[in-house]
């Protein structure tokens, strides 16, 4: 059996090696290392893939969130609601901009931001909601958009983990995640569903005015050369990363399908185990692209299971071990444990199994057999 990796980037590269190498070489030969033609063609390709009017590439997914927030003209102290159970980027950029993060609990089944908790957290200073489509699954966008509309709030979707997923509205219409709110952001960190060979990110919007503001902001606040109208940042997608992403974006649907197939195989083999809960997909098959395949271990043995799996040569991850509201940088005396019941429970239950585009049946069988024989 092939060695099991949490993410098998080497195995994936083997299949696209010639195209990727060619694309990298052409970029080097062109010496257009910054804003080369590959960046523009990647932008266009991603716009049509998403069905989004504007894509603005940038340096990474954290910058994408920061720039999205900067573009809204908010004032220090304005409140931004986001999930307690996610990667720290979201709350980090809110705090950096001297805005006030308001963390709320998540749904115990999907791990996505909990709608009643958002509703409770909305106050006179609330200006935006940042839902994260966590682990590849679309958050409850219809409800979020309705709350935002009613309260006149912006919605920024953190789509770093779910590029290619769809949200289906109750009337049956579908849109790609990241294109439903005012602004969507994503990351091309190598382990993401669309991963570069270094850092990268993008911002998407259908709003012409926001797109214009954002395009200047990623480039030092310049709308005309050497005229700085607003305070901006330097955040670009590298031409070499764009050269790689141009190849890989064409394969993203295939990659996401491979993840869905692997998830289904895991489900089939683990569903009868009483000591764990397999991932809950709330919507149709398009609503989840399995950035992570995350189990809940409900017999209190999560940590010893992780140790056992590692001893058997099976890597796994705990995303995320500590709720953001308990992180030293982000605590707030207003937070009460009863407001984070779900997060406080799931941080001790979750474990993410190897998930990537190269998993084979032998590996899945070995992983699931090892889990089941340990948990009986
Ligand atoms: C990866 C990730 C980010 C940050 O992306 P970087 O490119 O690493 O800065 C932000 N939010 C979520 C949910 C992520 O998974």
């Amino acid at each position: 059996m092939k060695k099991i990796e949490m993410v098998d980037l080497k195995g994936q590269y083997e299949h696209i090696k010639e195209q990727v190498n060619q694309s990298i070489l052409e970029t080097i030969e062109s010496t257009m290392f910054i804003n080369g033609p590959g960046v523009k063609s990647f932008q266009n390709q991603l716009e049509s893939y998403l069905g989004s009017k504007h894509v603005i590439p940038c340096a990474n997914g954290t910058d994408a969130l920061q720039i999205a927030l900067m573009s809204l003209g908010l004032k220090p102290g304005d409140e931004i609601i986001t999930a307690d159970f996610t990667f720290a980027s979201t709350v980090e950029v809110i705090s950096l901009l001297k805005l006030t993060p308001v963390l709320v609990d998540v749904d115990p089944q999907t791990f996505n931001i909990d709608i009643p908790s958002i509703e409770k957290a909305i106050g006179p200073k609330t200006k935006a909601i940042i839902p994260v489509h966590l682990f590849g699954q679309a958050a409850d966008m219809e409800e979020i958009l309705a709350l935002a509309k009613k309260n006149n709030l912006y919605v920024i979707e953190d789509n770093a983990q779910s590029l290619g997923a769809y949200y289906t509205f109750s009337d049956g219409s579908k849109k790609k995640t990241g294109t439903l709110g005012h602004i969507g952001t994503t990351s091309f960190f190598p382990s993401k569903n669309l991963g570069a060979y270094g850092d990268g990110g993008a911002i998407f919007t259908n709003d012409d005015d926001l797109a214009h503001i954002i395009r200047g902001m990623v480039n030092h606040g310049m709308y005309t050369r050497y005229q700085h109208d607003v305070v901006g940042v330097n955040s670009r997608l590298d031409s070499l990363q764009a050269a790689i992403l141009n190849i890989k974006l064409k394969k993203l649907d295939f990659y996401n399908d491979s993840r869905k197939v692997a998830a289904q195989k895991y489900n089939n083999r683990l569903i009868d185990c009483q000591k764990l809960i397999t991932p809950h997909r709330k919507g149709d098959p398009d609503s989840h692209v399995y950035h992570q395949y995350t189990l809940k271990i409900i017999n209190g043995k999560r940590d010893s299971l992780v140790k056992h799996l590692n001893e058997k040569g099976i890597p796994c991850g705990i995303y995320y071990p500590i709720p953001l509201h308990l992180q030293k940088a982000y605590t707030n005396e207003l937070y009460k444990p009863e407001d984070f019941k779900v997060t406080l429970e799931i941080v001790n239950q979750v474990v993410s199994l190897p998930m990537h585009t190269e998993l084979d049946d032998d590996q899945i069988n070995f992983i699931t057999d090892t889990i089941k024989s340990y948990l009986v």
Side-chain angles (χ1 to χ4, degrees):
M1 189 178 61
K2 220 172 114 190
K3 182 167 177 276
I4 300 172
E5 307 280 353
M6 194 65 191
V7 181
D8 185 3
L9 294 176
K10 184 79 203 270
Q12 192 189 58
Y13 170 62
E14 292 299 332
H15 298 291
I16 51 174
K17 192 169 182 163
E18 276 168 32
Q19 287 162 277
V20 166
N21 290 3
Q22 179 66 23
S23 190
I24 291 173
L25 269 178
E26 279 169 16
T27 308
I28 296 174
E29 296 283 351
S30 80
T31 70
M32 309 265 282
F33 296 117
I34 301 292
N35 289 331
V39 177
K40 183 75 184 166
S41 61
F42 175 67
Q43 174 192 318
N44 294 337
Q45 197 192 159
L46 189 56
E47 280 166 356
S48 58
Y49 177 82
L50 290 169
S52 177
K53 200 163 172 200
H54 306 280
V55 164
I56 301 104
C58 66
N60 58 65
T62 308
D63 273 10
L65 283 164
Q66 178 180 329
I67 296 156
L69 277 170
M70 284 167 67
S71 74
L72 301 178
L74 304 177
K75 291 182 296 299
D78 284 348
E79 292 178 359
I80 315 293
I81 295 172
T82 193
D84 189 36
F85 183 69
T86 180
F87 187 58
S89 281
T90 343
V91 63
E92 178 178 62
V93 297
I94 297 169
S95 302
L96 270 175
L97 295 172
K98 304 277 182 259
L99 303 167
T100 304
V102 177
L103 295 168
V104 302
D105 212 356
V106 296
D107 179 275
Q109 291 191 300
T110 62
F111 310 128
N112 272 326
I113 194 163
D114 177 59
I115 303 302
S117 302
I118 298 178
E119 211 164 354
K120 243 177 77 185
I122 294 174
K125 289 188 182 166
T126 311
K127 290 286 150 50
I129 307 170
I130 309 185
V132 181
H133 302 296
L134 201 73
F135 299 155
Q137 174 156 224
D140 295 323
M141 288 308 294
E142 190 155 340
E143 290 84 350
I144 292 168
L145 293 173
L147 277 177
K149 194 164 180 193
K150 187 171 144 203
N151 296 282
N152 202 21
L153 308 176
Y154 287 107
V155 175
I156 300 173
E157 300 171 72
D158 183 345
N159 203 35
Q161 301 190 358
S162 49
L163 201 67
Y166 283 88
Y167 181 78
T168 305
F169 288 88
S170 47
D171 68 2
S173 64
K174 271 176 194 255
K175 274 188 185 169
K176 288 241 168 78
T177 56
T179 67
L180 296 104
H182 298 87
I183 307 179
T185 65
T186 201
S187 162
F188 307 119
F189 187 83
S191 64
K192 300 287 154 86
N193 290 34
L194 178 60
Y197 294 170
D199 279 309
I203 306 161
F204 356 115
T205 183
N206 288 314
D207 184 311
D208 296 339
D209 296 331
L210 283 175
H212 174 74
I213 294 170
I214 291 167
R215 281 209 181 90
M217 274 185 169
V218 298
N219 188 28
H220 304 287
M222 279 195 288
Y223 297 87
T224 309
R225 206 163 163 82
Y226 298 118
Q227 287 184 30
H228 304 274
D229 296 350
V230 293
V231 177
V233 293
N234 171 20
S235 188
R236 290 184 282 246
L237 179 69
D238 200 278
S239 298
L240 282 169
Q241 299 308 331
I244 294 153
L245 291 167
N246 267 321
I247 309 286
K248 290 188 73 179
L249 177 53
K250 296 189 178 71
K251 299 214 161 345
L252 179 58
D253 285 343
F254 170 73
Y255 288 152
N256 283 342
D257 286 344
S258 311
R259 289 172 178 273
K260 289 181 201 175
V261 168
Q264 191 55 51
K265 287 179 181 166
Y266 273 138
N267 283 342
N268 293 344
R269 295 183 59 92
L270 289 171
I271 201 91
D272 58 347
C273 180
Q274 308 299 314
K275 311 288 166 57
L276 58 78
I277 300 175
T278 54
H280 177 74
R281 194 190 69 215
K282 189 171 176 178
D284 59 42
D286 291 338
S287 67
H288 202 325
V289 292
Y290 293 95
H291 175 62
Q292 298 294 346
Y293 181 89
T294 304
L295 299 171
K296 285 199 289 186
I297 308 300
I298 52 173
N299 66 349
K301 287 196 174 171
R302 193 268 315 264
D303 290 340
S304 62
L305 172 69
V306 168
K307 198 163 161 271
H308 179 73
L309 292 175
N310 289 339
E311 281 164 9
K312 297 280 177 189
I314 302 170
C316 52
I318 296 174
Y319 312 117
Y320 296 91
I322 304 171
L324 291 173
H325 84 275
L326 293 182
Q327 298 284 358
K328 222 160 125 188
Y330 304 114
T331 49
N332 181 323
E333 61 205 7
L334 298 174
Y335 293 145
K336 295 184 205 71
E338 58 266 35
D339 293 329
F340 300 98
K341 279 202 194 95
V342 175
T343 317
L344 287 166
E345 179 168 48
I346 62 180
V347 290
N348 296 311
Q349 297 179 327
V350 289
V351 57
S352 297
L353 300 185
M355 175 48 80
H356 51 79
T357 58
E358 312 301 314
L359 278 171
D360 63 34
D361 287 357
D362 286 349
Q363 293 176 319
I364 291 175
N365 295 348
F366 177 67
I367 294 165
T368 51
D369 287 346
T370 309
I371 293 172
K372 284 202 281 193
S373 58
Y374 184 77
L375 287 180
V376 281

